């Protein structure tokens, strides 16, 4: 504005400078917002237990790139833990299916949540019919009321059959459960 140019030239130059600054601001905005949106999407996917998303173009020369690399490392760790948990669950299911002792798991409301084939044979019903029913409905309330490592007779069996009750408490997803294992004595 201090140059001896015409007013129209000064106004045109001012608009040109404002336009250039606007374009520069939009480009800078895009360069900052896009990686943050990507990281937000990756974290949201991790929260929903989808470990397939990753932040791309992570570089170690800036703080945002380091954050992207750490989020990717967290996603890798969570994916690895999920695989190990699935393998452990499959192994546990296999062991539970193969064990010859009747095994039952009850939630705090005494609702049957898990039964193995030996338990199905003892109660003479399939797991489909038993799961979701209370201990009283399936005839196992005495097992839950009995102290650990005590002897009981179940009404569904002959009077000579006696069972040793072994109980233990465990938590699944923060909810306490009771595991009951019966041994024929």
């Amino acid at each position: 504005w201090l140059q001896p140019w015409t007013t129209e030239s000064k106004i045109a130059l001012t608009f040109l400078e404002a336009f250039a600054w606007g374009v520069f601001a939009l480009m800078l905005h895009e360069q900052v917002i896009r990686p943050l949106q990507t990281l937000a999407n990756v974290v949201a996917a991790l929260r929903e237990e989808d470990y397939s998303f990753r932040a791309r173009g992570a570089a170690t020369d800036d703080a945002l790139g380091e954050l992207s690399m750490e989020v990717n490392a967290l996603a890798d760790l969570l994916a690895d833990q999920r695989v190990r948990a699935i393998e452990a669950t499959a192994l546990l299911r296999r062991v539970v299916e193969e064990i010859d002792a009747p095994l039952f798991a009850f939630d705090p409301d005494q609702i049957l949540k898990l039964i193995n084939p030996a338990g199905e044979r003892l109660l003479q019903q399939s797991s489909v019919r038993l799961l979701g029913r209370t201990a009283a409905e399936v005839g196992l309330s005495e097992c839950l009321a009995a102290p650990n490592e005590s002897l009981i007779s179940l009404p569904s069996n002959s009077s000579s059959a006696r069972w040793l009750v072994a109980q233990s408490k465990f938590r699944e997803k923060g909810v306490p459960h009771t595991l009951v294992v019966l041994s024929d004595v």
Side-chain angles (χ1 to χ4, degrees), residues 59-99:
T60 58
D61 58 346
D62 66 345
L64 193 57
E66 289 179 14
L67 178 61
S68 296
M69 289 175 43
E70 289 299 322
V71 168
N72 288 343
L74 177 63
D76 292 337
L77 176 69
L78 291 173
D80 186 49
Q81 287 178 347
R82 177 192 232 176
V83 168
R84 281 191 264 139
I86 290 170
E87 289 171 349
T89 302
L91 177 63
L92 178 63
R93 285 187 193 276
R94 181 75 175 156
V95 169
V96 166
E97 288 174 4
E98 294 297 323
I99 195 167

Side-chain angles (χ1 to χ4, degrees), residues 2-185:
L2 299 176
Q3 297 298 324
W5 297 337
T6 65
T7 306
E8 293 85 20
S9 298
K10 292 177 183 179
I11 292 174
L13 185 60
T14 302
F15 280 123
L16 184 62
E17 287 177 0
F19 179 75
W21 275 106
V23 169
F24 176 72
L26 287 175
M27 288 173 43
L28 184 61
H29 182 265
E30 181 71 20
Q31 291 292 322
V32 172
I33 296 299
R34 180 74 59 185
L36 290 176
Q37 286 175 335
T38 301
L39 284 174
N41 291 339
V42 171
V43 170
L46 294 178
R47 187 182 63 243
E48 294 172 4
E49 298 181 2
D50 181 2
Y51 308 122
S52 62
F53 289 101
R54 297 291 186 275
R56 295 186 188 193
T60 58
D61 58 346
D62 66 345
L64 193 57
E66 289 179 14
L67 178 61
S68 296
M69 289 175 43
E70 289 299 322
V71 168
N72 288 343
L74 177 63
D76 292 337
L77 176 69
L78 291 173
D80 186 49
Q81 287 178 347
R82 177 192 232 176
V83 168
R84 281 191 264 139
I86 290 170
E87 289 171 349
T89 302
L91 177 63
L92 178 63
R93 285 187 193 276
R94 181 75 175 156
V95 169
V96 166
E97 288 174 4
E98 294 297 323
I99 195 167
D100 287 334
L103 185 133
F104 310 94
F106 294 93
D107 71 2
D109 297 325
Q110 295 189 349
I111 295 174
L112 184 64
K113 295 294 183 180
L114 175 82
I115 184 171
N116 70 344
E120 290 177 353
R121 287 190 298 275
L122 174 70
L123 298 177
Q124 300 172 349
Q125 292 186 47
S126 70
S127 62
V128 174
R129 299 192 73 191
L130 294 169
L131 293 176
R133 296 175 62 193
T134 65
E137 291 173 340
V138 297
L140 296 174
S141 57
E142 187 178 347
C143 294
L144 289 174
N148 191 28
E149 297 187 13
S150 61
L151 293 174
I152 63 165
S153 332
L154 293 176
S156 62
N157 294 320
S158 64
S159 59
S160 63
R162 299 192 35 98
W163 298 91
L164 176 68
V165 176
Q167 292 184 14
S168 68
K169 305 287 185 190
F170 69 96
R171 289 188 155 314
E172 181 174 323
K173 296 182 181 177
V175 178
H177 284 67
T178 303
L179 181 67
V180 177
V181 180
L182 301 178
S183 300
D184 191 6
V185 290

